[in-house]
Amino acid sequence: MTERDRLERYHGRRRFDTTDEPRGGRSGPSDALSFVVQIHDARRTHFDFRLEVDGVLKSWAVPRGPSTDPGDKRLAVPTEDHPLEYREYEGVIAAGEYGAGPVIVWDEGTYRPLGAEGPAAFAAALARGHASFRLDGHKLRGAFALTRFRGGGDGSSEEAWLLVKRTGTGSTRGARATPDPRRARSVRTGRTLRQVEGGTPGRAMPDHGSRRVHRSEGNDHA
């Protein structure tokens, strides 16, 4: 399947003469597999969790956001594949467009498949409904797993997954395990959703080494 085929649903939901979201097709694969977590204030505020797989960003909407507490099991609902350029998208999706509202890049970095021999095996594991991986981001680090618990292929029910942190590097317990989406700041510009919506200019964020945690306002997950 070509990138164009994989992005058919993405293109079908957007009018690129109105939205400033990327059309795709201009960005090649990364040297290392990438991930991004965006916060999106659409009809309902949620987190979008995206992994680079087969030349696109496989995407899940996570209503309560990823948690660094291994005891939390977070619902993750698959959405359409997005182009790799979407890793950098931060702005306001125009009114009347699919998903209208502000978007910030809350975290970004690279990931490494666990228990899978290379990207093709990892894609196959996702297709089967379970994949483990290690994130190396500014805010999220360590091993996570995605597991499908409903639907998948036969169309009998809406597909749903769980996103779970594994014990070890990057694990926390309690209230600080998940950011408040209204207070959370972009890892790229330091802005909140409200500031993006209001047109506040972004600022260059300090480089803490390619993938060290960026601490903001005393909260590791802000």
Side-chain angles (χ1 to χ4, degrees):
M1 183 180 292
T2 67
E3 178 189 4
R4 181 176 180 179
D5 294 332
R6 294 188 182 98
L7 295 178
E8 184 176 359
R9 285 184 63 205
Y10 175 85
H11 289 149
R13 289 178 166 180
R14 289 161 176 84
R15 297 175 297 173
F16 292 102
D17 58 345
T18 304
T19 184
D20 64 350
E21 296 167 280
R23 184 185 294 271
R26 296 182 179 179
S27 183
S30 310
D31 292 335
L33 295 170
S34 62
F35 84 93
V36 66
V37 181
Q38 287 154 314
I39 304 179
H40 185 185
D41 189 15
R43 184 177 59 176
R44 296 179 181 176
T45 304
H46 63 278
F47 293 71
D48 287 310
F49 184 82
R50 312 189 197 278
L51 296 173
E52 179 182 346
V53 180
D54 283 345
V56 296
L57 293 175
K58 290 288 184 186
S59 301
W60 293 260
V62 184
R64 296 178 61 196
S67 174
T68 54
D69 186 337
D72 291 338
K73 296 179 179 180
R74 292 298 165 85
L75 175 66
V77 179
T79 64
E80 72 275 15
D81 295 344
H82 283 52
L84 293 180
E85 291 92 335
Y86 218 94
R87 292 173 293 203
E88 302 177 4
Y89 181 74
E90 184 169 296
V92 181
I93 300 174
E97 285 298 302
Y98 176 74
V103 177
I104 63 171
V105 176
W106 177 71
D107 197 17
E108 62 182 355
T110 61
Y111 80 92
R112 177 168 56 88
L114 298 176
E117 296 294 331
F122 183 76
L126 276 176
R128 291 192 298 269
H130 177 77
S132 299
F133 46 92
R134 183 175 297 276
L135 299 181
D136 190 10
H138 294 265
K139 301 173 184 179
L140 296 177
R141 295 170 296 148
F144 286 77
L146 274 165
T147 303
R148 185 171 56 222
F149 69 90
R150 186 177 67 212
D154 60 5
S156 60
S157 61
E158 184 180 9
E159 191 173 332
W161 296 60
L162 292 176
L163 175 64
V164 180
K165 176 74 178 75
R166 288 185 170 183
T167 302
T169 301
S171 297
T172 61
R173 298 281 182 178
R176 299 179 73 184
T178 305
D180 177 349
R182 297 291 177 179
R183 295 181 63 246
R185 293 183 179 274
S186 165
V187 74
R188 284 181 163 263
T189 65
R191 296 182 296 176
T192 64
L193 286 168
R194 179 174 293 182
Q195 288 172 328
V196 168
E197 190 170 32
T200 301
R203 66 179 187 273
M205 300 301 290
D207 183 359
H208 296 270
S210 61
R211 298 299 171 220
R212 292 184 187 173
V213 174
H214 170 67
R215 305 184 188 280
S216 177
E217 297 186 350
N219 186 336
D220 290 358
H221 302 285

